[in-house]
Amino acid sequence: MLRLAGARLLGDRDYPAVRAVLAADPVASCMVSARVEIAGLDPWRLGGELWAADYRGARSPRLPGLCFSGPNLIPLRGNASALRSFADRALRKQRICSSLVGPSEQVLGLWDELATEWGPAREVRADQPLMALRGQPAVPVDPQVRPVRPDELDRYLPAAIAMFIEEVGVDPRAGDGGASYRARVAELIAGGRAFARFEAGEVVFKAEIGALSRDVGQIQGVWVNPDKRGRGLGTAGTAAVASRLVNSMGRTASLYVNSFNSPALASYRRIGFSQVGRYATVLF
């Protein structure tokens, strides 16, 4: 019989086993894969820690549980015992993550273990279809959607802030006046991963590729100026970003969306996205 020994911190020698877990579901693991492929498993380079549920007596190199702890807490694999071990490790120190996000079964199971100490949550989004597109979009793309230039940061940033407030429910400028959020948006622009359609110098559509692994790109921050909604800009614009991922970058395009957002779900399905999993998010 295997005995749960707790969650252990992974290091570079564990890389093959970690890669096997990430490769098993490249769409669901995109956020973590994007970090690991660049930084390896060293916590300082990774910007967080990777934990494994460690079973004493296990002879297989296969990891029975895997969780990333950083700006977000992302459990990717684990049964109830593994999730308890992740919760135990998380509770040993002060919470630093802004959300708990990932495959719904793992997220909601881990939240059950953490809620007494970390709750109440600001919001629990328990049903978020995880969607993917591996081929050409099924609708025409917007030819005016293009990468944002670095010199356009100040024109792009208000739209990014408006999207964040609308989607997350908090102002990203709180705390430090927006310096860290501005730096993050500038980083996305510099990497060619922020896209927009401008009309009369104003952003009317925007979206970003938030995480980019060798196989998958995750689209985030899809937003249409409220005055321009109902014109199909969101569908055509998202199709343009997805086409860039599939055709120019050779990746699967992915995203996740709240199940209650019926217009967005319908739009993504028209583009050709299909559901491949289910995410959940706990916002603090």
Side-chain angles (χ1 to χ4, degrees):
M1 178 179 294
L2 303 181
R3 183 163 64 89
L4 182 66
R8 66 181 177 90
L9 177 64
L10 296 175
D12 283 335
R13 67 179 182 177
D14 300 296
Y15 188 84
V18 171
R19 283 300 309 158
V21 173
L22 300 179
D25 193 344
V27 175
S29 67
C30 176
M31 287 186 285
V32 177
S33 293
R35 288 175 173 268
V36 169
E37 288 168 8
I38 293 173
L41 303 188
D42 176 76
W44 186 84
R45 298 194 309 270
L46 189 63
E49 297 179 346
L50 269 175
W51 304 337
D54 192 14
Y55 291 84
R56 292 179 183 172
R59 296 180 180 178
S60 170
R62 179 179 180 272
L63 297 176
L66 184 67
C67 182
F68 172 77
S69 175
N72 303 300
L73 190 61
I74 308 174
L76 289 176
R77 173 185 284 183
N79 59 19
S81 295
L83 296 177
R84 280 195 296 273
S85 74
F86 296 149
D88 288 343
R89 188 171 185 112
L91 291 171
R92 291 176 197 165
K93 53 187 178 180
Q94 184 177 6
R95 178 180 64 81
I96 60 171
C97 60
S98 61
S99 70
L100 173 58
V101 61
S104 60
E105 183 177 358
Q106 279 70 43
V107 166
L108 298 177
L110 183 54
W111 179 236
D112 283 344
E113 300 290 336
L114 294 170
T116 301
E117 297 294 329
W118 281 9
R122 183 164 55 83
E123 186 178 356
V124 177
R125 300 177 178 179
D127 185 4
Q128 297 176 304
L130 178 66
M131 310 183 82
L133 174 70
R134 296 180 173 87
Q136 184 69 23
V139 300
V141 305
D142 186 343
Q144 295 188 50
V145 170
R146 58 170 177 80
V148 180
R149 301 190 306 265
D151 65 288
E152 295 174 315
L153 172 61
D154 288 331
R155 283 197 285 165
Y156 182 82
L157 189 59
I161 292 170
M163 176 281 304
F164 195 96
I165 293 172
E166 186 175 330
E167 173 64 22
V168 182
V170 297
D171 192 326
R173 296 166 294 186
D176 64 356
S180 59
Y181 186 68
R182 180 186 177 90
R184 171 57 178 160
V185 172
E187 180 184 11
L188 288 169
I189 292 174
R193 289 161 52 185
F195 299 83
R197 173 178 172 141
F198 292 87
E199 291 183 0
E202 181 183 35
V203 175
V204 297
F205 166 84
K206 67 162 290 292
E208 296 143 5
I209 301 171
L212 186 66
S213 73
R214 66 183 62 167
D215 298 312
V216 180
Q218 189 175 86
I219 299 172
Q220 67 175 29
V222 176
W223 180 86
V224 176
N225 186 307
D227 294 337
K228 307 293 184 180
R229 292 176 185 176
R231 292 171 41 185
L233 292 173
T235 298
T238 304
V241 179
S243 178
R244 179 69 66 101
L245 273 167
V246 172
N247 296 316
S248 299
M249 299 182 180
R251 265 81 163 187
T252 295
S254 77
L255 50 80
Y256 61 100
V257 59
N258 294 314
S259 61
F260 56 77
N261 192 343
S262 298
L265 270 171
S267 171
Y268 299 146
R269 287 170 178 150
R270 283 197 300 273
I271 294 168
F273 282 91
S274 59
Q275 185 170 347
V276 297
R278 192 173 304 279
Y279 258 29
T281 302
V282 179
L283 296 171
F284 302 115

